[in-house]
Amino acid sequence: TMKKLDLALRIFLTILGIILLCLFILKDRQDQRPVSGSLEPVVGEWRSDIRGAGIDPDSCLAGLRSIEFADLPAGKAGASRSFDHSVRISRDLQQEGGCTVRAALYHELGHAVFGLEHGSCKLMSTAQVSEEEYRMNWVSMVDDYLEACKQAKR
């Protein structure tokens, strides 16, 4: 009977350990910020633009696990990955300028959130344009993008 009691205690402690580990992992995941700090202002601007178009940005972003800078292959500005619900923007773009980062983020969120295809508007083009062109044409590019987003939501 002492062996049975010892075995039962070991099983109980093992199960308790597994439960505590699972709780720790879940809490750790909840503590992770879905948007990396340096992209927060850009995501904030996207949220504002989307809200201005009459679309709820919270519901749009609810399914995304992370939005972050990442090391991507040369020439790749960003990636939206459905298998892990993430949006990744190339770290290399940080040297190009703010509008280039913004354009890449809007582009990838267009894929991830609205299912926009390449070519559905200027910001969804596969051709990256210069920082200056983004800056000069940003308002009209965003207007076209928002119209594509609204069409996709219908």
Side-chain angles (χ1 to χ4, degrees):
T1 62
M2 193 63 154
K3 286 184 180 182
K4 286 183 181 179
L5 188 59
D6 187 45
L7 180 61
L9 181 60
R10 286 179 189 213
I11 291 172
F12 171 76
L13 290 175
T14 301
I15 292 171
L16 181 62
I18 291 170
I19 290 171
L20 290 174
L21 179 63
C22 289
L23 289 174
F24 176 77
I25 290 170
L26 288 174
K27 184 189 177 322
D28 187 47
R29 283 193 181 157
Q30 288 174 347
D31 289 344
Q32 289 177 352
R33 292 186 351 200
V35 179
S36 74
S38 53
L39 280 171
E40 282 182 8
V42 185
V43 172
E45 186 175 336
W46 180 87
R47 291 169 66 89
S48 178
D49 285 339
I50 291 297
R51 187 177 293 111
I55 302 170
D56 176 26
D58 295 328
S59 66
C60 291
L61 296 176
L64 290 178
R65 184 173 281 152
S66 67
I67 301 172
E68 61 190 359
F69 280 113
D71 294 320
L72 297 178
K76 187 148 179 75
S80 60
R81 304 183 325 178
S82 58
F83 69 90
D84 69 352
H85 307 285
S86 70
V87 168
R88 302 165 74 214
I89 305 301
S90 174
R91 285 187 210 287
D92 295 342
L93 293 186
Q94 290 174 296
Q95 297 157 357
E96 307 252 346
C99 285
T100 303
V101 170
R102 237 186 322 178
L105 180 74
Y106 278 51
H107 178 104
E108 295 307 329
L109 288 173
H111 287 308
V113 173
F114 299 105
L116 296 181
E117 301 285 332
H118 288 134
S120 56
C121 63
K122 182 84 172 177
L123 283 176
M124 294 306 297
S125 171
T126 56
Q128 186 177 329
V129 299
S130 70
E131 175 75 11
E132 182 179 349
E133 186 175 340
Y134 282 132
R135 195 174 296 123
M136 288 174 34
N137 298 299
W138 186 252
V139 173
S140 64
M141 288 176 159
V142 171
D143 287 345
D144 290 344
Y145 173 82
L146 295 173
E147 192 56 42
C149 293
K150 287 192 275 190
Q151 293 296 321
K153 284 298 273 187
R154 291 184 182 159

